[in-house]
Amino acid sequence: MSNELRGVLTALSTPFNQDETLDVATLRRIVDRSIDAGVDGVVAAGSTGEVGALSSEERLLLITTVIDQANGRVPVIANTGATSTAEAIRLSQAAEKAGADVLMLITPYYEPLSLEETVTYIKDVARSVTIPVMLYNIPAVTGVNLDPATVRALAEEVDNIKYIKDSSANWEQALQLIHHHSDVIGTFIGWDVYLYSALAEGAAGVMAGTANVVPNEIVAVSRLVAEGDLTGARALWNDLYPVIDALLSVPFIPAVKAGLSLQGLPAGAPRRPTADLNAEDLARVEQALSALKQTVG
């Protein structure tokens, strides 16, 4: 198993102009915001990045822009999963050619597949490239759960399957991946409220959409855990949790964009039909961020 990818990965928000075209200039600033905070990698075209609302051409523009802006400072993980095997292969090969460090494969989500069909899709796409592949398990969206035994079998059979982002929100499953299968695959937890627990349990890392909004604090928690200071990490997490909870307790994609705007980096509105936060939800996010600022300075 490769040990290259560890720590905090920001699932980048995708900024749009008023006409809903990709705001490349702001995207570059969002990339820099996370890298300057010390994250260990950035993720282009993930769920937080509204991947389902992007065309294939927009996804490639997004991925190539993030690669260019990162400029080798941190690894770039590109989500190249698609609703067909052929399209996922085309996107994966294009992202590899553009310089992505890792490919992330969400499984088809329009028509839920059987586990056998999903496994075949993963093998076909992973074998079409040479760079490391991260499985993306989000059964609430795809309708298929990649259970730990299946994940292990895939990692053992396909050499470049190195990581999994587990967004199953199943803590028991996450613990099994971390404690029983880390010899063959690195586990990144993609459910932000599990951030501290995942790091303390020994996960390879976390992939967090909330890292767009509070990257410094999330990185600090990760570093304290890595240094063995669980007391310090827990104290900071106690301060940070209300913000994570607020962002996840309202519609998440617009919450992240609202959080960026409140931090001085407007990222535009979500792509329709997703709407901006209503006044009540926005106030909740703003209050949580204000309280965090007063606590940690």
Side-chain angles (χ1 to χ4, degrees):
M1 186 193 76
S2 169
N3 290 317
E4 290 181 5
L5 203 60
R6 298 193 68 84
V8 175
L9 311 178
T10 301
L12 296 168
S13 178
T14 298
F16 296 114
N17 296 304
Q18 260 190 323
D19 63 0
E20 295 195 355
T21 57
L22 185 65
D23 184 348
V24 172
T26 299
L27 175 61
R28 291 181 181 277
R29 290 194 289 272
I30 290 173
V31 171
D32 283 345
R33 173 178 169 81
S34 274
I35 294 176
D36 291 346
V39 303
D40 301 288
V42 290
V43 184
S47 299
T48 306
E50 302 179 63
V51 64
L54 302 174
S55 69
S56 294
E57 291 70 26
E58 287 173 322
R59 288 174 72 179
L60 287 177
L61 174 59
L62 180 69
I63 289 165
T64 55
T65 300
V66 172
I67 292 169
D68 181 69
Q69 190 64 24
N71 194 28
R73 291 177 290 169
V74 297
V76 173
I77 300 90
N79 177 21
T80 54
T83 53
S84 74
T85 299
E87 181 66 1
I89 288 174
R90 186 182 79 82
L91 287 168
S92 297
Q93 291 178 341
E96 179 178 36
K97 184 177 180 181
D101 297 282
V102 176
L103 301 180
M104 183 171 72
L105 294 183
I106 190 170
T107 57
Y109 46 86
Y110 179 73
E111 177 66 26
L113 305 178
S114 68
L115 182 58
E116 181 180 3
E117 289 170 324
T118 301
V119 166
T120 299
Y121 160 89
I122 289 169
K123 290 178 181 178
D124 288 345
V125 180
R127 286 170 172 156
S128 75
V129 295
T130 61
I131 60 176
V133 167
M134 175 183 287
L135 308 178
Y136 184 4
N137 187 38
I138 183 166
V141 173
T142 64
V144 179
N145 181 49
L146 296 175
D147 62 275
T150 297
V151 170
R152 184 179 188 92
L154 280 165
E156 289 178 333
E157 183 175 345
V158 183
D159 289 343
N160 62 328
I161 293 178
K162 301 293 186 183
Y163 309 105
I164 181 169
K165 176 192 177 184
D166 187 71
S167 294
S168 66
N170 182 329
W171 186 236
E172 181 180 2
Q173 177 165 295
L175 289 175
Q176 289 175 5
L177 287 166
I178 293 167
H179 290 287
H180 298 318
H181 303 291
S182 61
D183 58 323
V184 296
I185 197 160
T187 296
F188 285 80
I189 299 301
W191 212 255
D192 295 41
V193 291
Y194 291 160
L195 194 152
Y196 168 80
S197 300
L199 294 170
E201 287 288 347
V206 294
M207 189 182 297
T210 54
N212 288 280
V213 182
V214 282
N216 291 285
E217 291 82 2
I218 290 176
V219 167
V221 171
S222 175
R223 297 292 183 265
L224 288 167
V225 172
E227 293 165 5
D229 184 2
L230 293 183
T231 300
R234 180 69 196 193
L236 179 53
W237 176 245
N238 286 342
D239 293 333
L240 179 59
Y241 177 81
V243 173
I244 307 294
D245 183 48
L247 290 166
L248 286 167
S249 298
V250 300
F252 186 63
I253 287 171
V256 169
K257 290 194 165 181
L260 280 166
S261 182
L262 289 166
Q263 301 288 68
L265 185 52
R271 182 165 275 182
R272 294 176 296 174
T274 303
D276 280 324
L277 291 187
N278 61 39
E280 181 181 350
D281 289 341
L282 178 59
R284 179 174 182 181
V285 172
E286 185 171 16
Q287 182 179 14
L289 282 169
S290 296
L292 177 66
K293 186 175 182 179
Q294 293 169 12
T295 303
V296 303

